[in-house]
Amino acid sequence: KLLTDTEVPIPSVVPGADPSARQLCFAWGPAEVLVCETLFGRRGGSPSRGEAGPGRAPPAGALTGRVAGTGDGGPSSSRVFVVRKDQDIYIQTLRKLFNESHGIFIGLQRSEEELAGKSRKAQLVQVSKNYRSVIRACMEDMHQAASKFVCSLTVSILSAMELIWNLCEILFVEAAAAGPLLLRLLDWVRLHVCDVDNMVREVLSSENPSKHELFWNAVDVFVLQGRMDEARHLLAKEASANPTSVNMYKTLDDLMKKMPVPSLGNTQTLTEMELKWQHWHEECQRYLQDGTFASNSHMESICKILLGDEDAILEKKELLTTWYQFLVTRLLYSHPTVKPMELRFYAQSSMDLFLGGESSPEPLDTILMAAFEFEMHQVIKECSIALSNWWFVAHLTDLLDHCKLLQSHNLYFGSNMREFLLLEYASGLFSHHSLWQLGVDYFDHCPEYGRVYLELHIERIPLNTEQKALKVLRICEQRQMHEQVRSICKIMAMKALRNNRLGSALSWSIRAKDAAFATLISDRFLKDYCERGCFSDLDLIDNLGPSMLLSDRLTFLGKYREFHRLYGEKRFSEAAKLLLMLMTAHIAPCSFWMTLLTDALPLLEQKEVIFSAEQTYELMRCLEDLTAGKSDKQKFQDDDVETMKVEMLRLALARNLARVIVKEGTLEGS
Amino acid sequence: MEDVCAKFVSQKISKTRWRPLPAAALQPPDLFATGSWDNEDNRISIWSVGDLGNVGLNGEYQGEPQLLCDIRHNGDVMDMQFLDQERIVVASSTGTVTVFRHHQNNQTLSANQRWEKAHYHVDQDTSCGGAACTGVICNNPEIVTVGEDGRINLFRADQKDAVRTIDNADSSTLHAVTFLRTTEILTVNSIGQLKIWDLRQQRNEPSQIFSLTGDRVPLHCVDRHPNQQHVVATGGQDGMLSVWDIRQGTMPVSLLNAHEAEMWEVHFHPSNPDHLFTCSEDGSLWHWDTSTDVAEKPSFLHQGGRSTTYFSHNTINQSVVSAWLSNDPTKDRMEITNLIPNQTLSVNSLDILGPCLVYGTDAEAIYVNRQLFA
């Protein structure tokens, strides 16, 4: 039912933009929309909203508009608005909520599915309680730091979220049965209706509570919330002050003491409870009818409340404050063994009675009503619309899904609802400059589209330091996202290259196993060598190890450097052999052959003969291959230096050949 | 573990450091500093854990760390070291190195000294081009910094200009630095090398290079044994712990499989170096304990004949050789415990002093354990 085609998307107002004067255009981005004013005025037909096509969700609740545009804000200036769907993500104080609940979420995903029946349920209830305690901790923090004006708004959102969550926990997660259900609902009301607590505290802390003007209000509050012991305690004070009517007090006290309550354990059956309750109810009825409390209107009204008299309860509307407290009070005194499925009738009539047509239900009322009606999907949908964050619906839906309550519900687009909401929430996290790391785990637990979302989002993380790049890289590597690994390494390699850090650049391309880029960098190294006559970054090139094999050019770079080392160590014959091999095995690029041959010159000119006759022939062939490969036209263009080099080489080769023939001839002859 | 207390601080923590104790102090440390990263607005914060109001009946500490003061920091906090009781040196991703002073009388922080763009690419004077400063180490008044630009800077806390700069000291990124002796430093880089630099020599070359064989796995952290200066531990990208004996060879003495992802920090316990602590991107924090066979070690306190009976097999030799350098460290000599049971996000930093451990995570929480050896 969530977000179907037939529903009209909710229009969202972008503050500052004026669609009546100019047409707006927009572009979808991950978790945000760019909106800008066009040059076109508004003419005739209004372009319909939601043109992005079906499958796109209307943004949840309030949107934030952020003017990121240029200009002085005048009417003619063109501005770009960044419209974000999840505005609560940016509230600093809620970061604790996002981080702590992330841990709970991970714990829930890892938890043992095998746990059977009861223990599994207990586990899920505990998870639900943990989520709520995080919300409460956040509220407490905000109360402590209550200085900023945004806080009060956020606190009220948080407290509404906790209220809804708690009710869902009772009805869906724990699925309390008739009997315990009422006790849970009473706890729920007591926990969340705090306004009256202050009044009660004021009465109790006064010098003589029974003379306080709000004394009876305090007693009523206790009775309405079913807090019998506290009500009796207060009444006892009053009784001791009025020795004349002590009997009347005693009777009421007795009634309140005897009131049967459902038990949490299995000590009594529902029928037993109902019997007892019937008996007690009749007793109350008797006292009311014989006028025991006629002399005291307060006590008479309490007795009426005990009997579940709706009018008497409604008279205390001020003390009840909300229709759902009225509902629980009504249930307590009229239908203590209410079954979950009967709740909807009482809830609806309670709301109608309480609001009395004076005011229309607010979003919170609608949500709670949907919960009492066991319309889980409606609850989630209403919450998505009313709340300005995805946190709540995403986590609640995930929990309900783990309770196996949301099965067989497929959306006509995307995956199921749980995944849809988790994806939205995680996308919001990814649009945050710092919380993106949390989003990763949420995507991991979206089986259908999580991976694709992660791939799209992770590439958009700005990489300002290598350490951050390493963290992003680790995320990608753990998930075998090869494409993203390549792209991150390439970005980092390019950055390093731009900063003239060839060593770093090479490290990055080796990590990505990016042969093409390694070749590019190797060429830069070789070019630097040709220009300066010495190698930079020897510490790296000397330690290439097996990564040398990544690209041909890198292999050549490593081997060429090895040649220089051998030469430097005066191991001439080894050096000569390596040099020749670089050409004959076609490891060296053709463009570099001339340099290599020039490097051979000093070896050819050594006192002792280094190249054998065979090797000299090979060198000559290399030289001829090189010169023959060039067209006549190119030859013309070659400067004199080049021609001279060739001539010098030919001469040196010829002389070496002569020397080696003599040497080899004499050696053989001897 | 109940004795660990956590606090969510709404910023990703990149560094945590205990304030050093005065020489004759007997009480445990009570103040630590944290730095954040990847925020629009990064901060250096000072926290107190020794609040007297929170001490429980048995004198044990209860309650979470309290924020004393904080100050904005430009760029990610890449590294952080206390210079003395009051001053903290902070390395920034913008390449700037700042000394902050903690004024304890009115609990404020202020920038005391700043070296703008101590690390940079290409040209120091252009408006952009700062290179992240990745590591800093102090030996009052000397401060050594290393960075992504492969540069090594030596500063003195009271001097405006760098005392010594080695440009292009390393062709790859330098990840961490530590003092070996007062004039020698150790650096680790992103191609698996450990280098010793002698700052007395004017040559811009390392005096010794050690390296991991094979895959050139980047090294991220380094620490030196507090008593046996030749024993050095490093942590790598693959989560491996390497122990080196810098008197011999060019390869690590032992390689110990540890974490599943980058090891961000490694620390010998400063006064109890049989214990070592490492933390990692995989969200774990390990306690390495080589003191398990303590019963076998010769005890000079027990003069009675009992101790001599334990002088069996290898203990006589082993007592001289560091436990960390024994050839077979896996052989029931080392006890390893993961101190974080439900790990999720990266543990970026840890620090230990006396019985106290503090660590910070990407899940925006700081944790303090005040009874490490309890």
Side-chain angles (χ1 to χ4, degrees):
Chain A
K1 265 189 216 158
L2 187 85
L3 316 170
T4 52
D5 225 355
T6 51
E7 283 180 45
V8 184
I10 300 126
S12 1
V13 177
V14 181
D18 185 10
S20 61
R22 288 155 179 280
Q23 288 183 22
L24 299 178
C25 66
F26 67 92
W28 289 103
E32 51 195 23
V33 187
L34 290 179
V35 176
C36 71
E37 295 170 339
T38 61
L39 286 172
F40 303 107
R42 182 98 173 181
R43 277 173 306 151
S46 57
S48 60
R49 278 194 53 91
E51 278 177 327
R56 280 297 181 180
L63 293 185
T64 34
R66 270 208 180 182
V67 183
T70 54
D72 44 44
S76 59
S77 71
S78 53
R79 294 188 288 177
V80 177
F81 302 90
V82 180
V83 181
R84 285 172 173 157
K85 281 195 262 182
D86 195 336
Q87 97 191 88
D88 287 359
I89 286 278
Y90 297 90
I91 298 176
Q92 181 74 12
T93 36
L94 288 186
R95 283 174 71 162
K96 182 186 163 116
L97 175 73
F98 303 137
N99 276 290
E100 256 194 291
S101 57
H102 167 260
I104 302 171
F105 173 82
I106 298 300
L108 177 58
Q109 314 303 314
R110 288 179 189 161
S111 68
E112 302 273 322
E113 288 270 346
E114 302 92 66
L115 275 181
K118 260 193 181 150
S119 50
R120 173 68 177 164
K121 187 189 256 184
Q123 188 185 30
L124 291 166
V125 170
Q126 191 50 50
V127 169
S128 175
K129 282 185 175 155
N130 290 345
Y131 276 127
R132 284 200 293 122
S133 74
V134 176
I135 303 179
R136 297 213 122 201
C138 255
M139 282 159 66
E140 248 164 57
D141 280 4
M142 283 188 193
H143 275 302
Q144 277 174 8
S147 53
K148 292 163 199 156
F149 64 98
V150 280
C151 274
S152 61
L153 179 71
T154 321
V155 168
S156 66
I157 292 173
L158 282 175
S159 85
M161 292 194 321
E162 212 262 333
L163 176 80
I164 302 167
W165 193 299
N166 196 352
L167 185 61
C168 292
E169 178 184 310
I170 296 166
L171 297 177
F172 309 144
V173 183
E174 192 182 355
L181 174 64
L182 180 73
L183 297 179
R184 290 272 178 269
L185 289 174
L186 277 172
D187 289 339
W188 174 65
V189 160
R190 285 172 199 160
L191 194 62
H192 292 95
V193 183
C194 313
D195 319 7
V196 289
D197 282 356
N198 293 330
M199 187 255 287
V200 170
R201 212 170 297 128
E202 194 192 315
V203 170
L204 285 175
S205 58
S206 71
E207 220 169 276
N208 191 349
S210 60
K211 290 284 175 291
H212 198 279
E213 54 177 347
L214 295 173
F215 172 79
W216 284 105
N217 278 358
V219 179
D220 287 344
V221 165
F222 285 139
V223 174
L224 291 171
Q225 294 191 1
R227 291 151 81 172
M228 287 306 172
D229 292 341
E230 287 156 280
R232 285 172 55 212
H233 184 72
L234 263 188
L235 275 177
K237 284 187 199 294
E238 173 76 0
S240 56
N242 291 308
T244 47
S245 44
V246 75
N247 275 338
M248 188 165 66
Y249 283 105
K250 205 155 182 268
T251 316
L252 187 62
D253 185 71
D254 213 35
L255 282 179
M256 287 162 81
K257 195 170 91 184
K258 278 196 284 186
M259 179 178 153
V261 281
S263 73
L264 272 180
N266 294 324
T267 46
Q268 63 177 359
T269 63
L270 224 50
T271 347
E272 271 173 2
M273 162 70 202
E274 269 164 355
L275 264 173
K276 274 190 204 166
W277 195 79
Q278 200 60 42
H279 188 74
W280 174 79
H281 198 254
E282 277 160 15
E283 195 179 348
C284 292
Q285 194 83 39
R286 225 166 26 242
Y287 281 116
L288 187 68
Q289 273 162 4
D290 64 18
T292 313
F293 307 114
S295 61
N296 188 324
S297 64
H298 295 298
M299 288 167 74
E300 188 167 30
S301 100
I302 290 177
C303 186
K304 280 182 183 166
I305 293 173
L306 294 185
L307 278 167
D309 183 329
E310 266 164 24
D311 295 328
I313 297 174
L314 265 180
E315 262 175 46
K316 311 288 176 196
K317 201 170 167 179
E318 298 293 305
L319 299 175
L320 287 166
T321 65
T322 60
W323 65 269
Y324 45 90
Q325 199 190 342
F326 171 56
L327 164 70
V328 176
T329 307
R330 229 178 115 197
L331 293 174
L332 174 65
Y333 295 112
S334 335
H335 314 279
T337 53
V338 64
K339 294 185 184 65
M341 282 308 146
E342 296 164 354
L343 271 178
R344 60 170 70 212
F345 309 114
Y346 300 119
Q348 189 61 54
S349 65
S350 297
M351 186 161 90
D352 293 344
L353 277 172
F354 194 84
L355 299 180
E358 292 161 28
S359 52
S360 52
E362 301 203 355
L364 179 61
D365 301 323
T366 331
I367 294 167
L368 295 176
M369 183 57 73
F372 283 122
E373 288 170 348
F374 282 81
E375 296 284 354
M376 250 169 276
H377 296 110
Q378 192 66 21
V379 172
I380 291 159
K381 186 184 144 186
E382 298 281 344
C383 289
S384 307
I385 295 168
L387 296 171
S388 52
N389 63 63
W390 289 109
W391 178 89
F392 180 80
V393 278
H395 286 88
L396 182 63
T397 311
D398 175 62
L399 179 64
L400 295 178
D401 191 70
H402 276 87
C403 298
K404 309 225 179 290
L405 292 170
L406 289 175
Q407 260 121 21
S408 77
H409 183 88
N410 287 312
L411 301 174
Y412 71 101
F413 57 88
S415 181
N416 58 19
M417 186 160 66
R418 168 188 173 273
E419 177 157 335
F420 174 81
L421 293 170
L422 285 178
L423 289 173
E424 287 298 315
Y425 173 62
S427 299
L429 289 175
F430 256 95
S431 72
H432 190 275
H433 56 86
S434 188
L435 292 172
W436 57 272
Q437 272 174 299
L438 299 177
V440 177
D441 288 312
Y442 287 95
F443 283 142
D444 278 352
H445 291 100
C446 294
E448 198 151 345
Y449 291 103
R451 167 95 178 193
V452 187
Y453 269 64
L454 182 59
E455 285 173 356
L456 288 174
H457 278 288
I458 203 99
E459 286 186 332
R460 289 167 170 79
I461 300 292
L463 306 170
N464 39 349
T465 64
E466 288 194 3
Q467 188 164 17
K468 188 168 176 182
L470 288 173
K471 281 177 182 269
V472 177
L473 207 53
R474 174 62 62 183
I475 290 168
C476 297
E477 282 179 345
Q478 275 169 348
R479 290 157 184 82
Q480 274 98 43
M481 292 159 58
H482 304 297
E483 195 58 41
Q484 284 67 32
V485 168
R486 275 249 305 285
S487 117
I488 291 164
C489 288
K490 196 153 210 158
I491 291 168
M492 295 313 286
M494 274 312 282
K495 268 191 186 173
L497 200 61
R498 221 176 297 132
N499 290 327
N500 245 334
R501 301 277 306 148
L502 293 185
S504 286
L506 190 56
S507 292
W508 282 108
S509 48
I510 289 171
R511 175 145 187 193
K513 305 207 167 32
D514 186 341
F517 210 76
T519 302
L520 185 91
I521 297 162
S522 309
D523 280 342
R524 275 283 295 269
F525 269 116
L526 293 169
K527 198 173 132 243
D528 277 9
Y529 169 74
C530 290
E531 282 166 9
R532 287 191 284 171
C534 66
F535 280 105
S536 58
D537 303 322
L538 281 181
D539 53 345
L540 175 75
I541 303 172
D542 282 345
N543 286 289
L544 283 174
S547 57
M548 194 192 285
L549 300 173
L550 177 60
S551 102
D552 289 350
R553 202 61 47 86
L554 193 58
T555 317
F556 169 64
L557 178 66
K559 289 284 169 199
Y560 186 50
R561 162 64 194 154
E562 197 179 321
F563 160 74
H564 277 264
R565 213 179 54 231
L566 291 173
Y567 186 83
E569 289 165 8
K570 299 212 185 307
R571 290 151 73 181
F572 293 129
S573 63
E574 284 169 79
K577 211 169 143 195
L578 180 60
L579 189 69
L580 194 60
M581 190 270 283
L582 285 177
M583 282 183 284
T584 51
H586 290 278
I587 296 170
C590 282
S591 57
F592 216 79
W593 279 28
M594 196 38 126
T595 317
L596 293 180
L597 286 166
T598 322
D599 282 330
L601 262 179
L603 288 171
L604 291 168
E605 300 293 337
Q606 288 289 328
K607 257 185 206 150
E608 58 174 316
V609 182
I610 293 157
F611 288 103
S612 68
E614 203 179 331
Q615 285 176 321
T616 317
Y617 285 128
E618 297 237 33
L619 275 177
M620 290 166 113
R621 195 183 311 129
C622 290
L623 184 62
E624 291 317 306
D625 281 356
L626 191 63
T627 46
K630 288 183 181 169
S631 68
D632 289 343
K633 205 178 170 192
Q634 271 178 312
K635 268 183 194 163
F636 268 111
Q637 283 171 342
D638 280 342
D639 49 43
D640 293 341
V641 184
E642 197 74 356
T643 355
M644 210 172 73
K645 251 189 204 167
V646 176
E647 290 308 315
M648 268 173 64
L649 271 169
R650 283 190 176 137
L651 184 66
L653 284 166
R655 277 173 38 168
N656 191 71
L657 191 60
R659 280 161 63 195
V660 78
I661 287 172
V662 172
K663 187 185 158 203
E664 282 175 7
T666 37
L667 276 176
E668 270 167 41
S670 63
Chain B
M1 283 180 296
E2 315 83 47
D3 44 340
V4 178
C5 59
K7 187 177 177 72
F8 283 84
V9 293
S10 294
Q11 48 190 350
K12 291 196 280 193
I13 296 299
S14 56
K15 287 291 154 187
T16 56
R17 295 285 178 259
W18 287 112
R19 181 179 68 175
L21 293 167
L26 289 172
Q27 72 273 43
D30 55 352
L31 233 73
F32 66 90
T34 62
S36 74
W37 78 284
D38 205 25
N39 245 338
E40 279 175 337
D41 175 20
N42 289 299
R43 306 194 85 82
I44 305 288
S45 314
I46 305 281
W47 305 83
S48 155
V49 287
D51 192 358
L52 288 170
N54 286 330
V55 173
L57 280 176
N58 306 323
E60 88 278 24
Y61 171 76
Q62 300 172 332
E64 52 187 26
Q66 300 292 317
L67 180 67
L68 291 181
C69 51
D70 62 352
I71 192 169
R72 219 188 144 138
H73 178 259
N74 199 7
D76 293 347
V77 174
M78 302 294 288
D79 200 3
M80 186 163 71
Q81 292 290 332
F82 271 90
L83 183 66
D84 52 29
Q85 292 268 95
E86 286 190 331
R87 287 178 294 173
I88 315 161
V89 188
V90 180
S92 165
S93 61
T94 61
T96 300
V97 178
T98 317
V99 182
F100 289 98
R101 182 181 284 276
H102 174 217
H103 305 275
Q104 295 182 42
N105 40 4
N106 58 358
Q107 294 302 349
T108 52
L109 275 167
S110 65
N112 182 240
Q113 163 79 284
R114 178 169 287 149
W115 294 282
E116 295 282 354
K117 266 190 239 152
H119 294 270
Y120 59 94
H121 290 303
V122 191
D123 185 4
Q124 197 168 17
D125 300 323
T126 51
S127 59
C128 56
C133 175
T134 51
V136 59
I137 190 77
C138 305
N139 187 9
N140 197 5
E142 284 177 330
I143 300 163
V144 178
T145 67
V146 296
E148 280 183 15
D149 55 356
R151 194 171 269 112
I152 299 175
N153 284 311
L154 172 64
F155 297 106
R156 219 176 281 273
D158 46 3
Q159 285 179 24
K160 209 169 155 286
D161 293 312
V163 179
R164 171 107 190 260
T165 295
I166 306 177
D167 286 331
N168 218 13
D170 202 307
S171 58
S172 47
T173 297
L174 287 171
H175 279 146
V177 59
T178 193
F179 272 103
L180 179 62
R181 296 180 192 88
T182 47
T183 58
E184 282 177 296
I185 56 164
L186 286 166
T187 62
V188 288
N189 68 11
S190 64
I191 52 170
Q193 293 172 327
L194 172 73
K195 297 182 182 178
I196 303 179
W197 304 79
D198 189 340
L199 296 173
R200 288 167 302 188
Q201 289 184 1
Q202 285 311 304
R203 234 160 37 99
N204 289 345
E205 303 267 314
S207 53
Q208 241 179 311
I209 300 181
F210 304 85
S211 57
L212 293 172
T213 47
D215 288 338
R216 317 170 338 121
V217 179
L219 294 174
H220 285 293
C221 50
V222 55
D223 196 25
R224 187 210 63 192
H225 194 288
N227 310 329
Q228 295 160 315
Q229 295 187 335
H230 56 278
V231 182
V232 170
T234 63
Q237 185 153 284
D238 51 0
M240 193 93 85
L241 174 71
S242 322
V243 182
W244 314 66
D245 181 350
I246 55 166
R247 296 171 306 184
Q248 50 191 328
T250 59
M251 291 187 305
V253 178
S254 55
L255 284 167
L256 303 166
N257 254 321
H259 303 280
E260 281 158 21
E262 284 87 353
M263 186 190 287
W264 292 126
E265 284 194 18
V266 53
H267 292 277
F268 284 102
H269 192 286
S271 53
N272 204 351
D274 284 342
H275 299 265
L276 181 103
F277 296 84
T278 60
C279 64
S280 157
E281 178 71 21
D282 67 5
S284 58
L285 193 157
W286 287 17
H287 174 187
W288 308 66
D289 182 359
T290 52
S291 64
T292 43
D293 57 348
V294 70
E296 288 186 301
K297 286 196 176 157
S299 162
F300 300 105
L301 292 173
H302 287 132
Q303 293 298 326
R306 260 201 65 170
S307 62
T308 48
T309 56
Y310 286 90
F311 270 70
S312 56
H313 41 272
N314 53 11
T315 45
I316 295 169
N317 300 327
Q318 291 288 329
S319 63
V320 190
V321 176
S322 169
W324 298 104
L325 294 181
S326 73
N327 290 325
D328 188 9
T330 48
K331 197 191 77 189
D332 70 8
R333 311 192 80 251
M334 201 177 302
E335 200 173 289
I336 304 164
T337 23
N338 182 7
L339 298 182
I340 306 177
N342 291 319
Q343 59 207 54
T344 50
L345 293 183
S346 169
V347 181
N348 292 324
S349 180
L350 74 95
D351 199 21
I352 21 154
L353 191 55
C356 301
L357 166 75
V358 59
Y359 59 94
T361 71
D362 274 344
E364 306 190 342
I366 46 179
Y367 297 82
V368 178
N369 182 348
R370 306 245 297 169
Q371 275 133 11
L372 202 50
F373 301 111

